Structure formats: C-alpha cells, structure tokens
Amino acid sequence: MTSRIAVLPVTVLVALLVTACGSPEPDPVDPAERGPSVVRPLADGSPDIPGRPPRGGDPSVDRLDPDLLAAVKAAMRDARADGVAMTITSGWRSRAHQQRLFDEAVAEYGSESEASRWVAPPDSSAHVTGDAVDIGPKEADAWLVEHGAAYGLCQIFANEAWHFELATTPGGVCPDLLPDGSYRR
Ligand SMILES: [Zn+2]
C-alpha cells in the first residue's frame, strides 16, 4: 500500500512532463513581426495607435497626413531593426483638445506667450492639421533626430526633441531648428 501511494505522484509528474513536452504553448509572436509598436495613451488623453494599419478606429492616427504617417511607419520599421522601439505618443489633435492643452499650459506657465513656447494654440498647432507627431521614448527620439531626414522627418523645435514633422524631402536636409514653438507664429 505504501509503495503504491509513493509511486502515484511520480507517475502523475511524468505524465505532466510528457504532456507539457508534447503540446507546447504556441510560440509568442516575434516582436520584429508585429509591425509598428502599440502606443500607450498619454496623460493628455491621446489614444493609442494600433499595431497594424489603422482601419478607422483611431482619429489621432487616421487623421494624420498620409505621407507623414507613411514616413513614420518606415522609420519605425528601421528603428526596430536597430533595436529601438518607437511609438507615436501623440498625433492629430482636435482643436478643442489643443485648446485645452494650451489653456492648461497658460495656467502652468502664467502667460500665453510663455505657454506658447511649449504648447501651440490651436491656430498654429501642426497637430491640429495632422502634420505633426510626437515620438517616444527618448531613445526613439534620439534615433529619429539622427536618422529622420532620410524619411523627410525633422525635429522642428530645439526644446521639443520628441516633435517631428515632414519638413524635407526624403534624404534631404532638415531646416534649422527654431528655438521653440513661439517662433513659428
Ligand atoms: Zn508635438
């Protein structure tokens, strides 16, 4: 009796091992094959960008200039090949959303002129027209500052290393940086 009881757990264990080896879990998807990274929402409420081509579910991506979006996706693929994960942290924004961001910046910085160094009002924001993306994380920003011109993507403002626009032809030269967003108006 005692020996049978002792043997049983071993048998069960062996059976479990055989089962585990015989039917392994499906391999996880290779990250390199997932396409552009999924972006997490920011505190500003910007929604995610899907990991696959958008199908009308995400206005912050769908309403981007198609050429800009294509350039960013190409850069994402090449950055990933360099081991750099790249995400769009903010894309198109509604006027109302941009106004809200600007109002918050005015409250934070104390004046419209100071706020506009960091957040553009709706009339001058390239996000509102779908002509700008914010990119993250910092490693991806650095990658895109270095390589973006190959895709026509340029940093525009010296104080916003995360903000990119199509500002040259692919392989061209990016324009000189503006000190901050207030110089655009
Ligand atoms: Zn931006």
Side-chain angles (χ1 to χ4, degrees):
M1 290 292 276
T2 307
S3 63
R4 279 191 187 177
I5 293 171
V7 166
L8 184 60
V10 175
T11 308
V12 171
L13 180 61
V14 170
L16 286 172
L17 285 170
V18 169
T19 302
C21 295
S23 57
E25 291 294 311
D27 289 336
V29 176
D30 181 347
E33 296 176 1
R34 283 180 178 155
S37 301
V38 174
V39 172
R40 299 299 165 209
L42 287 187
D44 70 0
S46 304
D48 291 357
I49 177 178
R52 297 182 182 280
R55 295 185 178 183
D58 187 346
S60 80
V61 174
D62 294 346
R63 296 186 185 182
L64 286 174
D65 169 60
D67 291 339
L68 171 63
L69 182 57
V72 171
K73 285 186 171 182
M76 279 181 173
R77 282 192 294 270
D78 293 346
R80 182 179 295 278
D82 282 353
V84 176
M86 181 181 293
T87 60
I88 298 175
T89 58
S90 187
W92 173 83
R93 301 171 189 154
S94 68
R95 288 183 61 86
H97 182 50
Q98 188 69 31
Q99 183 69 56
R100 200 158 52 241
L101 293 177
F102 184 67
D103 291 345
E104 290 171 0
V106 171
E108 181 175 353
Y109 294 104
S111 70
E112 291 197 357
S113 61
E114 184 64 16
S116 65
R117 295 184 57 218
W118 301 96
V119 179
D123 285 341
S124 60
S125 172
H127 285 282
V128 171
T129 57
D131 293 315
V133 289
D134 293 344
I135 295 294
K138 283 185 176 178
E139 186 185 16
D141 296 335
W143 190 96
L144 204 51
V145 166
E146 183 177 353
H147 301 289
Y151 312 87
L153 295 168
C154 298
Q155 179 185 353
I156 303 298
F157 307 118
N159 67 334
E160 294 188 27
W162 56 86
H163 176 105
F164 293 87
E165 301 176 19
L166 273 184
T168 187
T169 54
V173 178
C174 286
D176 291 339
L177 293 177
L178 298 172
D180 60 57
S182 68
Y183 283 75
R184 170 167 273 176
R185 289 192 291 166

